[in-house]
DNA sequence: AGTTGATTGAAACGACCGTTTGAATCGCTC
DNA sequence: GAGCGATTCAAACGGTCGTTTCAATCAACT
């Protein structure tokens, strides 16, 4: 028996807003993000989406392909929601660095967007599957390259490419910690401090100041900087 | 029917080296670290351990308690293998920071030790379960407090406790990234650079230099520091 | 109205899961 | 060697999983 999913994704016909396929992708993304691939069940997904269990097989073939499609779907949605920042020519590199870090933290921690999309992508980063390489090439690598270029300009050629990459990873690692290990961070830091200081904006200030101080662009932290 | 596990852990009788209970804990730790709680099956664990499927129920009650015990077991093994560093009085704070970072990276990335123990603990950090809080209190919080105290001494009181905590999290975040997202890092950085520079020792040099420069203890990176 | 192909529905399939059973086996004391 | 608790074993249980089946339904065109 021929199913529609063979060509439906190819021709990409305009689908209605409440397309069953989209409802399944939405429910699947949330379920996979929350429980992981194994623990999420297609029955729960279909119940949440309001479709029959046979629909996932009809539209996607099997669970594995549904998972890959939901990862790509969430990934594309995030790219649209929070695009790479762009600056007018002549904007100082230090300000672009701050904007970039704020952008990354907003995308990771931002409260305005559904959190399950980032959670789903985090799962791929932490335990890569087939969907990961595409995620890196389309999404992570351009961000990484942009960060390296900002740092390169900031240092005016004083650092080699490997050094720049390590500094870039240092910056990403700090943002990464708050997203991936946020629960543990919450156990180590007083709640009041979390509420007041661990916001995307405040954290961007800290990470940027930390980097600028390390690179010698601005005074060291202990000699009096931002709060 | 009474089972032995009710009091076996209480009296903690000296067990033989090839105790079935230990073999199960070893196989379970590896399986849970590799596949996660849901995807790991007790049948595979028992096959790997060379015991009957009923043994896990006999010794641990059920799968969930086996999981918690295996997490604690791996945790205790790691603590014994890589204890907190101790220094003679008067050792400079900068050197202690480097030792601390090297210690943490060695524990996270160290090739000399079985990697599944850290992977298992990483799963708890990233997606906490019942075993997590105990892990934090016994294992992570003391390390965190030590790091903060080193940074405090390094800054000679110029930074507040919240600031010190954020710097500490920045340092931990950098180490955390290489462990948790090592696969993605490997896609972003040339393999030769991974092999030569992303060793625990080299990374400790970088993270420490980055922190010391940011705090103004040593010159900024771009003005010429370590490689 | 009738035909056709796309979609939905309830039910079932086979497989595997965690767990339990009850008998067989072992190690030990008397 | 008989007795007995501790341990191991093969087998099965009930349940849930992903997937499939096939008839019912719908939408569009002749």
């Amino acid at each position: 028996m021929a199913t529609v999913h063979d060509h439906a994704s190819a021709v990409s016909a305009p689908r209605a807003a409440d397309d069953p396929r989209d409802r399944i992708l939405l429910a699947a993304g949330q379920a996979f993000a929350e429980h992981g691939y194994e623990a999420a069940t297609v029955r729960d997904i279909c119940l949440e989406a309001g479709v029959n269990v046979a629909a996932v097989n009809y539209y996607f073939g099997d669970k594995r392909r549904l998972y890959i499609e939901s990862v790509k779907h969430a990934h594309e949605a995030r790219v649209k929601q929070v695009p790479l920042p762009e600056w007018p020519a002549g904007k100082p590199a230090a300000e672009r660095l701050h904007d970039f870090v704020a952008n990354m933290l907003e995308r990771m921690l931002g409260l305005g967007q559904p959190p399950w999309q980032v959670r789903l992508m985090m799962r791929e980063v932490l335990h890569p599957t087939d969907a990961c390489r595409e995620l890196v090439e389309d999404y992570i690598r351009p961000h990484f390259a942009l960060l390296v270029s900002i740092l390169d300009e900031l240092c005016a050629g004083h650092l080699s490419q490997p050094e720049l990459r390590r500094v870039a990873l240092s910056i990403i690692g700090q943002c990464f910690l708050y997203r991936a290990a946020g629960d543990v961070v919450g156990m180590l830091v007083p709640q009041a401090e979390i509420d007041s200081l661990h916001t995307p904006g405040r954290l961007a200030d800290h990470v940027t100041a930390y980097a600028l101080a390390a690179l010698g662009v601005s005074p060291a932290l202990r000699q009096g900087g931002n709060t």
Side-chain angles (χ1 to χ4, degrees), chain A residues 125-213:
Chain A
V125 169
L126 300 169
H127 208 343
T129 69
D130 296 338
C132 185
R133 186 165 295 274
E134 190 171 346
L135 205 65
V136 170
E137 296 303 327
D138 294 354
Y139 188 63
I140 298 177
R141 188 184 297 281
H143 284 246
F144 187 71
L146 176 59
L147 176 58
V148 169
S149 74
I150 294 174
L151 294 173
D152 193 14
E153 187 175 334
L154 207 51
C155 298
H158 286 81
L159 260 54
S160 66
Q161 284 291 318
E163 284 173 317
L164 289 171
R165 278 194 281 265
R166 273 187 296 177
V167 174
L169 289 175
S170 292
I171 291 173
I172 294 172
Q174 296 173 59
C175 305
F176 183 72
L177 180 74
Y178 292 103
R179 157 52 63 185
D183 293 322
V184 172
V185 171
M187 299 182 196
L188 293 174
V189 175
Q191 185 60 40
E193 197 172 314
I194 297 278
D195 297 335
S196 61
L197 297 178
H198 287 216
T199 62
R202 296 296 192 111
L203 290 177
D205 294 341
H206 165 70
V207 172
T208 307
Y210 193 76
L212 293 178

Side-chain angles (χ1 to χ4, degrees), chain A residues 90-102:
Chain A
K91 189 90 179 268
E95 294 182 24
R96 280 187 286 151
L97 177 63
H98 183 277
D99 289 350
F100 179 91
V101 172

